[in-house]
Amino acid sequence: MNENQHYLFQVNLKGMISLLSEHLYSNPSTFVRELLQNGVDAITAFRTLHEDHEGYLRIYLPDSENAEMIFKDNGIGLKEEEIHKFLAVIGESSKRESFEAKDYIGKFGIGLLSCFVVSNEIIVESRSALSEKAVRWTGKSDGTYQITEIEESRPIGTKVILLPKDEFRHLFEPDVFRRNLEYYGDALPMPVYLHYNENVNWINESGARWLDPNTTKEELLAIGQKTFNTGFLDAFPISTSSGGVKGVAFVSLYKTQFSGKQSHKLYLKRMFMSEDDCHLLPKWAFFIRCIFNADGLDATASRESLVYNDTLKEAKAEISQAIKSYLKTIDMIDPDIYQRLVSTHYLHLKAIAAEDHELLLVFMDDLLFETNKGPKSYRSIRHLEQTIYYTPNVNDFKQIHRIAGSQGILVINAGYTFEEELLKKISQLHPELKIEQISPESLLNTFHSVDVQNSAELVDFENRAAAVLQPLNCSCSLKHFNPVDTPAIYIGAYEDINAKSTQGSSSLNPLEATLGMFTKKTKVIQPMLCFNVDNKLVKSITGIKDPYLFPSIIHILYVQALMLGKYPVSDREMNLFNEALHNLVIMGMENFINL
């Protein structure tokens, strides 16, 4: 063994081609994009020699099972030595050495390998603009290739010839191939023609109208409708200095989910790249769909995503600012769109306003909040209420929804992650208003207590009801509250952080005892069923002594209160409910209780 000896890696070309061509790309139709890309780059290179060169791409589809597909461009072409270097060396690209490499789509020298997915052989016939001689390169999926000289005269450009594999012949059907050409090449700056039999179709005749600054908003909205198969509320152009991003942002006409994933159209140098935004849109822009072209960003090797680098981050920051600028000015430009925007996307606007002080000032009064009295704008809330109450979670809001309304209290549902923070920021702008958290237990404290000691019947009722509820780990209480048609409400378990500790500090652990002096003591208050003594039904059952009838009614009121408070009802509780109803039927009490 010679430690100073250096060895070369051994590369299995057949295995490498299989790895790159079958696993690098997400679907077999990617070869269409790669052929388009190579043709576009060849034409771009030719324009460095002849600025006014009019390039084109022509594709001829096979008209029989044994026929070949031909892909032609009138770009700069390749010389024999360039074919050896760029087609036979995996990872080598002619574009990488160019001073204007930023003008080319491909840089990795592996795109042509995608053709091996659909064909066992690739034939490239090319004549360079810098040579009179045309050559033919034949590459095979086993990793071998050969080059021969073409005797007859050829025009400058390149022709790629593929013989489809049987399992992928469907991709070369005219309708399928045309859809793929339109999918990848509808925005390319040079014409793409598809030939089949005697028919010639100009694939990108309409061009990328969304990049034209003279395109009207109505035309942009029509483009958005056609592209995404849905209508939009508004559309506005966006451009960035970093990354050379240009395009259109479309505002969704309908409410969108925070967790939902929107589809977009992202192009790199006018070649379609992805239906993902590739991190160009800020995370909060769920209501935005975009058609963007990036001339100054880099693609990954598969060219199905963008490289997440500093340039992309800067472009993303500019796009974020552009969307915010639109939101800040749309009220002055089109008040109708502003009102529809707020009423449709108020949840997303609140999420943005929670982190952006300027947008908070813009939208604050018009932001809609869910309340127990219906959706209301903050403007109407602050004009009607001196104290604004809110619940920090949806379950609490559901529980006190009806009860708070009957007390004349307006409560905001701030159960979304950003809404409590938003309310706190709003309170800083309006210090004259009180914005306070409310919970079912704090609402319970506003109910009027019942002096049961002056009524032996109420004492007896409370004791017997407590005995029925005790196996359910639930206490009971008697209160006066509205609405009177509600016989009982259920208050779930909660922590009383102001409760005194029921345990003394351990004398065996001085450190624990010392630290305990500075720790808030908490006490878990068990669930409670609160009976409304003003309710007609509750008044009727206080005097019932029957040992079977009374527990059945209490069980029914208990489960009813759970459902009223939107608490989950377990199988055990449903069995109690059904058994109680059965007991009432057996005892001839069908009409005793009106649930």
Side-chain angles (χ1 to χ4, degrees):
M1 181 184 296
N2 185 351
E3 295 181 356
N4 296 321
Q5 178 69 43
H6 293 271
Y7 302 93
L8 292 175
F9 283 102
Q10 300 299 307
V11 179
N12 183 322
L13 290 180
K14 184 176 180 180
M16 180 65 73
I17 289 173
S18 174
L19 175 66
L20 292 176
S21 64
E22 297 180 17
H23 301 286
L24 179 65
Y25 304 106
S26 61
N27 66 75
S29 64
T30 303
F31 78 97
V32 177
R33 184 195 66 199
E34 297 300 324
L35 290 174
L36 285 171
Q37 171 213 286
N38 286 341
V40 170
D41 286 343
I43 293 169
T44 303
F46 202 179
R47 285 176 178 167
T48 63
L49 301 178
H50 299 283
E51 185 177 345
D52 298 328
H53 175 63
E54 295 184 3
Y56 62 81
L57 304 172
R58 294 188 182 274
I59 302 95
Y60 299 84
L61 291 182
D63 54 8
S64 66
E65 287 192 3
N66 297 319
E68 303 163 324
M69 185 218 75
I70 299 173
F71 193 103
K72 292 175 62 175
D73 69 68
N74 63 341
I76 196 168
L78 293 170
K79 295 183 290 185
E80 181 176 350
E81 57 269 28
E82 291 173 332
I83 287 180
H84 280 289
K85 183 176 182 180
F86 299 129
L87 297 187
V89 180
I90 296 173
E92 190 71 29
S93 173
S94 59
K95 279 84 83 171
R96 198 176 296 149
E97 296 181 351
S98 171
F99 291 110
E100 300 296 330
K102 61 183 177 60
D103 295 329
Y104 301 115
I105 303 171
K107 299 179 183 178
F108 297 93
I110 56 178
L112 195 62
L113 294 176
S114 63
C115 294
F116 280 123
V117 175
V118 297
S119 177
N120 288 318
E121 185 176 83
I122 303 172
I123 300 174
V124 177
E125 297 180 350
S126 185
R127 181 197 156 190
S128 171
L130 304 176
S131 174
E132 295 294 329
K133 186 172 63 173
V135 291
R136 178 184 292 113
W137 176 88
T138 303
K140 298 183 179 180
S141 58
D142 62 4
T144 63
Y145 74 94
Q146 62 183 135
I147 294 181
T148 57
E149 183 175 340
I150 298 175
E151 297 296 335
E152 67 267 23
S153 177
R154 290 290 181 93
I156 296 171
T158 300
K159 178 192 298 184
V160 178
I161 303 170
L162 302 179
L163 182 63
K165 295 179 182 178
D166 289 340
E167 62 268 33
F168 292 113
R169 195 170 296 280
H170 65 281
L171 295 177
F172 296 83
E173 292 293 330
D175 290 342
V176 176
F177 204 93
R178 177 172 180 168
R179 283 197 299 270
N180 282 324
L181 280 178
E182 292 173 344
Y183 184 69
Y184 290 114
D186 65 327
L188 289 176
M190 62 277 298
V192 179
Y193 302 102
L194 178 63
H195 297 253
Y196 181 70
N197 290 335
E198 301 299 322
N199 299 317
V200 181
N201 294 296
W202 187 355
I203 297 300
N204 53 343
E205 182 176 8
S206 59
R209 289 283 298 153
W210 46 274
L211 284 175
D212 186 346
N214 297 317
T215 304
T216 66
K217 180 179 290 189
E218 289 71 23
E219 289 175 315
L220 291 177
L221 290 172
I223 291 171
Q225 170 78 48
K226 180 179 179 181
T227 302
F228 299 111
N229 198 31
T230 186
F232 291 96
L233 177 62
D234 202 6
F236 59 96
I238 285 181
S239 63
T240 71
S241 55
S242 296
V245 179
K246 290 184 179 181
V248 183
F250 297 90
V251 181
S252 178
L253 188 60
Y254 308 103
K255 289 183 180 180
T256 55
Q257 300 295 324
F258 282 93
S259 57
K261 187 175 179 61
Q262 298 279 31
S263 64
H264 307 275
K265 291 281 281 187
L266 180 61
Y267 296 78
L268 180 64
K269 299 178 179 68
R270 307 280 289 268
M271 177 72 72
F272 175 74
M273 168 178 280
S274 176
E275 291 184 354
D276 188 78
D277 71 309
C278 295
H279 305 291
L280 280 174
L281 286 178
K283 291 182 178 180
W284 45 259
F286 297 98
F287 58 99
I288 295 291
R289 299 178 79 170
C290 66
I291 305 178
F292 284 161
N293 176 66
D295 283 334
L297 296 176
D298 295 323
T300 59
S302 66
R303 284 185 285 280
E304 295 176 356
S305 186
L306 294 172
V307 176
Y308 193 71
N309 54 21
D310 290 341
T311 305
L312 187 145
K313 293 176 185 177
E314 292 167 3
K316 180 178 182 177
E318 290 188 55
I319 292 171
S320 175
Q321 189 56 47
I323 297 174
K324 288 181 179 180
S325 296
Y326 163 81
L327 295 174
K328 291 173 185 176
T329 58
I330 188 59
D331 186 26
M332 296 178 287
I333 298 172
D334 194 325
D336 179 60
I337 287 180
Y338 171 80
Q339 292 299 328
R340 293 169 66 191
L341 175 70
V342 172
S343 62
T344 303
H345 300 296
Y346 62 91
L347 289 176
H348 298 90
L349 295 177
K350 283 191 283 188
I352 306 170
E355 69 172 39
D356 189 288
H357 183 73
E358 289 185 49
L359 279 174
L360 175 59
L361 293 175
V362 171
F363 289 105
M364 181 172 60
D365 275 348
D366 295 309
L367 289 176
L368 291 176
F369 288 89
E370 181 185 358
T371 78
N372 60 323
K373 296 182 179 181
K376 290 187 177 296
S377 69
Y378 177 70
R379 179 187 287 107
S380 65
I381 292 173
R382 68 183 178 87
H383 284 165
L384 293 174
E385 307 293 333
Q386 287 300 311
T387 301
I388 300 174
Y389 295 98
Y390 72 91
T391 60
N393 62 72
V394 176
N395 287 335
D396 279 0
F397 178 76
K398 289 179 178 179
Q399 185 179 354
I400 68 176
H401 183 284
R402 185 163 177 261
I403 306 298
S406 67
Q407 309 296 311
I409 300 173
L410 183 140
V411 181
I412 293 175
N413 176 15
Y416 300 101
T417 54
F418 51 81
E419 294 215 356
E420 185 174 10
E421 179 185 356
L422 180 62
L423 287 173
K424 290 178 180 178
K425 288 188 175 183
I426 289 176
S427 68
Q428 296 172 1
L429 299 175
H430 291 284
E432 72 279 6
L433 291 176
K434 292 182 180 179
I435 300 181
E436 298 180 1
Q437 179 178 331
I438 191 172
S439 62
E441 55 271 17
S442 63
L443 184 62
L444 176 64
N445 293 332
T446 67
F447 295 168
H448 297 294
S449 299
V450 177
D451 186 6
V452 297
Q453 301 305 319
N454 293 329
S455 172
E457 186 177 54
L458 290 180
V459 171
D460 178 61
F461 171 79
E462 187 174 43
N463 289 336
R464 288 186 295 123
V468 173
L469 295 171
Q470 192 274 332
L472 301 172
N473 192 33
C474 182
S475 62
C476 77
S477 175
L478 303 182
K479 297 282 186 180
H480 297 280
F481 62 85
N482 288 319
V484 294
D485 63 350
T486 300
I489 64 170
Y490 178 86
I491 306 296
Y494 63 95
E495 290 186 351
D496 183 359
I497 62 173
N498 297 314
K500 293 182 180 180
S501 175
T502 56
Q503 296 180 348
S505 299
S506 172
S507 60
L508 300 178
N509 192 336
L511 178 60
E512 180 180 338
T514 302
L515 293 176
M517 295 173 60
F518 303 100
T519 304
K520 283 188 176 182
K521 306 298 189 298
T522 62
K523 179 182 178 182
V524 177
I525 306 300
Q526 73 175 143
M528 176 184 294
L529 187 64
C530 182
F531 292 96
N532 187 355
V533 295
D534 297 323
N535 178 263
K536 182 179 179 180
L537 174 59
V538 174
K539 289 179 180 179
S540 299
I541 63 176
T542 52
I544 294 178
K545 307 294 184 181
D546 188 284
Y548 297 101
L549 179 60
F550 182 79
S552 296
I553 297 174
I554 297 300
H555 284 156
I556 289 175
L557 291 178
Y558 169 75
V559 177
Q560 182 192 44
L562 283 176
M563 293 188 288
L564 178 66
K566 309 298 182 181
Y567 286 95
V569 178
S570 67
D571 290 342
R572 177 194 180 192
E573 289 152 349
M574 281 306 303
N575 289 336
L576 277 176
F577 185 81
N578 293 331
E579 185 177 346
L581 283 178
H582 179 262
N583 290 339
L584 292 182
V585 172
I586 293 299
M587 289 180 283
M589 298 299 296
E590 296 97 326
N591 299 316
F592 180 79
I593 186 169
N594 183 17
L595 293 178

